[in-house]
Amino acid sequence: MSADQTLAFDPDCHIFTGCGFPAPGLHTFMYEPIATVGGIDITKPMLLALISSLVVVGFFWAAFAKPKLIPGKMQMVGEAGYDFVRRGIVYEIIGKKDGEKYVPFMVSLFFFVWIMNLWSIIPLAQFPVTSLIAFPAALALIVYVVWVSLTFKKHGFVGGWKNITGYDKSLGPILPLIMFLEFFSNLIIRPFTHAVRLFANMFAGHLLIVMFSLASWYLLNGIGVVYAATSFVMVLVMTAFELFIQAVQAYVFVLLACSYVQGALSEHH
């Protein structure tokens, strides 16, 4: 199976026919360009990410372009989603006073990540954009820049480094070690784990769904029909579970972003 054949396999390949199981792998996440714009190759995941941003902007624009005292269905859903992130995440982590100005950013981040995750179960798309490390890494980098900028803006140059390194004179002789560990953890490990947590969960979930989907077809032969049915049930179970994970990962990503902002605004790291 070539790298550019994402889910391509011989439809006549079944168990007991002499062909091996077409196991999914990294090739499942590789796509050939579908178009070239300005010398930039556009792939399916890039297109889905662009559509995701348009969906988020379009939805909230439609919901709040002409707000009414008695909201319609669209406005009601928009308000519920906005309020969920505002009260359930931002206010809980950052606080109402300091967090209000960051609500639009966090709401955008939450729904953008969630929609990119949801493509995994949408017919024709069937691919979670965040299962490619580049997309979570780019979002984590944005959060990282916001966090670092806020830290130095709030505390100044010296105070910012104290905040990042966890400077505390009461630690005594172990202070240099703590400062080194905090520096390494915050400036290097933090953005890495922020991105990888989202990427790894969506990567693994998509791979499992693809594996059981291929297995259902591959086992559809002779006595293998019994196993194919079991595999198909697993496809349904994994898809339902993935729906839950997609929302949870968006929630966790924004929750961590809020905790970083809260840390930047706090007096002590």
Side-chain angles (χ1 to χ4, degrees), residues 73-112:
K73 293 181 179 179
M74 183 75 76
Q75 184 180 335
M76 188 178 298
V77 173
E79 288 178 353
Y82 189 90
D83 208 46
F84 167 75
V85 177
R86 180 176 62 178
R87 296 183 182 275
I89 306 179
V90 179
Y91 284 4
E92 288 292 325
I93 303 300
I94 305 176
K96 184 176 181 179
K97 181 180 178 181
D98 292 331
E100 187 63 44
K101 66 175 66 174
Y102 303 104
V103 171
F105 172 61
M106 297 302 175
V107 169
S108 301
L109 195 60
F110 175 86
F111 284 99
F112 184 53

Side-chain angles (χ1 to χ4, degrees), residues 5-261:
Q5 292 176 303
T6 306
L7 288 179
F9 64 97
D10 185 356
D12 297 321
C13 180
H14 296 285
I15 193 172
F16 308 130
T17 60
C19 65
F21 174 60
L26 291 179
H27 58 272
T28 307
F29 299 84
M30 299 176 67
Y31 288 86
E32 286 292 301
I34 57 178
T36 301
V37 179
I40 300 175
D41 292 332
I42 306 298
T43 62
K44 179 179 177 179
M46 294 170 65
L47 179 60
L48 292 177
L50 176 60
I51 295 175
S52 298
S53 63
L54 294 177
V55 167
V56 173
V57 172
F59 171 76
F60 282 103
W61 182 272
F64 297 117
K66 296 180 179 179
K68 299 178 181 179
L69 184 60
I70 301 177
K73 293 181 179 179
M74 183 75 76
Q75 184 180 335
M76 188 178 298
V77 173
E79 288 178 353
Y82 189 90
D83 208 46
F84 167 75
V85 177
R86 180 176 62 178
R87 296 183 182 275
I89 306 179
V90 179
Y91 284 4
E92 288 292 325
I93 303 300
I94 305 176
K96 184 176 181 179
K97 181 180 178 181
D98 292 331
E100 187 63 44
K101 66 175 66 174
Y102 303 104
V103 171
F105 172 61
M106 297 302 175
V107 169
S108 301
L109 195 60
F110 175 86
F111 284 99
F112 184 53
V113 172
W114 188 31
I115 295 299
M116 288 200 295
N117 291 348
L118 276 176
W119 288 118
S120 173
I121 59 170
I122 302 299
L124 299 180
Q126 297 175 307
F127 185 81
V129 180
T130 49
S131 65
L132 296 179
I133 187 61
F135 294 95
L139 294 176
L141 179 61
I142 293 173
V143 174
Y144 177 82
V145 171
V146 170
W147 165 63
V148 173
S149 301
L150 284 175
T151 300
F152 286 104
K153 181 180 180 181
K154 173 71 175 180
H155 305 283
F157 183 77
V158 175
W161 283 114
K162 287 182 177 181
N163 182 280
I164 291 172
T165 58
Y167 178 82
D168 185 349
K169 291 190 295 184
S170 65
L171 293 174
I174 65 169
L175 178 59
L177 176 61
I178 296 299
M179 291 180 65
F180 171 77
L181 293 176
E182 286 291 305
F183 174 86
F184 185 77
S185 173
N186 289 329
L187 289 184
I188 300 176
I189 301 300
R190 173 177 288 185
F192 175 78
T193 56
H194 196 197
V196 169
R197 182 180 286 103
L198 173 60
F199 154 72
N201 278 279
M202 300 314 301
F203 179 92
H206 182 64
L207 197 61
L208 284 172
I209 290 177
V210 171
M211 182 182 70
F212 283 114
S213 298
L214 291 176
S216 298
W217 180 258
Y218 177 72
L219 294 170
L220 200 61
N221 185 34
I223 190 63
V225 171
V226 176
Y227 307 112
T230 303
S231 182
F232 182 70
V233 169
M234 286 302 301
V235 172
L236 299 179
V237 171
M238 289 303 304
T239 299
F241 183 65
E242 192 69 3
L243 268 171
F244 172 72
I245 294 299
Q246 288 162 358
V248 168
Q249 287 306 310
Y251 177 85
V252 170
F253 193 86
V254 174
L255 186 72
L256 290 172
C258 286
S259 71
Y260 301 156
V261 171

